[in-house]
Amino acid sequence: QVQLVESGGGLVQAGGSLRLSCAAPVRTFTSSCMGWFRQAPGKEREFVAAISWSGGSTYYQDSVKGRFTISRDNAKHTVNLQMNSLKPEDTAVYYCAATYLGATMEAREYDYWGQGTQVTVSS
């Protein structure tokens, strides 16, 4: 069972910043595209951002473009999500995911998932 472990969630005021990290096993990380998804209470899980295995291509949901930045550190086998200018509507559980396919926005195409980390943005 491949285990992805997220960290960095918490409570922040609107306009603040948080940095999420996700650690993956070496064998999984080096051959996978990585993505971040989120799920707010009563809503479906939605795509946030994805990064190719090389880090050369990134993709974002329109609502987070210009505020969130996804990056990966292949030496540390981690993927990060820097979240700036946070809004109350960003409140959700954030999940890290890995896929052996190319970077994709479709949750069903991801093979492995973390347990999630809570992000709460107060107004």
Side-chain angles (χ1 to χ4, degrees):
Q1 183 74 18
V2 173
Q3 190 169 15
L4 307 181
V5 181
E6 302 101 335
S7 61
L11 173 64
V12 65
Q13 289 188 332
S17 298
L18 282 174
R19 183 177 177 87
L20 305 183
S21 292
C22 172
V26 173
R27 183 170 295 181
T28 300
F29 187 83
T30 55
S31 58
S32 296
C33 296
M34 303 296 293
W36 286 97
F37 290 76
R38 67 187 181 187
Q39 188 167 18
K43 296 187 177 181
E44 294 188 353
R45 189 170 299 189
E46 65 175 2
F47 170 77
V48 176
I51 188 166
S52 62
W53 69 268
S54 69
S57 298
T58 56
Y59 309 86
Y60 297 94
Q61 182 198 112
D62 286 345
S63 69
V64 307
K65 285 181 180 177
R67 299 189 298 122
F68 291 11
T69 302
I70 189 171
S71 62
R72 64 190 296 158
D73 186 333
N74 287 342
K76 296 182 178 179
H77 315 126
T78 59
V79 60
N80 305 302
L81 185 68
Q82 178 66 44
M83 305 186 294
N84 299 328
S85 302
L86 283 161
K87 304 175 181 180
E89 51 263 44
D90 294 318
T91 295
V93 177
Y94 283 69
Y95 297 90
C96 172
T99 176
Y100 293 121
L101 300 176
T104 173
M105 296 183 288
E106 297 293 335
R108 64 178 182 271
E109 295 180 348
Y110 284 79
D111 303 289
Y112 306 108
W113 293 83
Q115 294 299 308
T117 185
Q118 177 70 47
V119 171
T120 303
V121 185
S122 63
S123 58

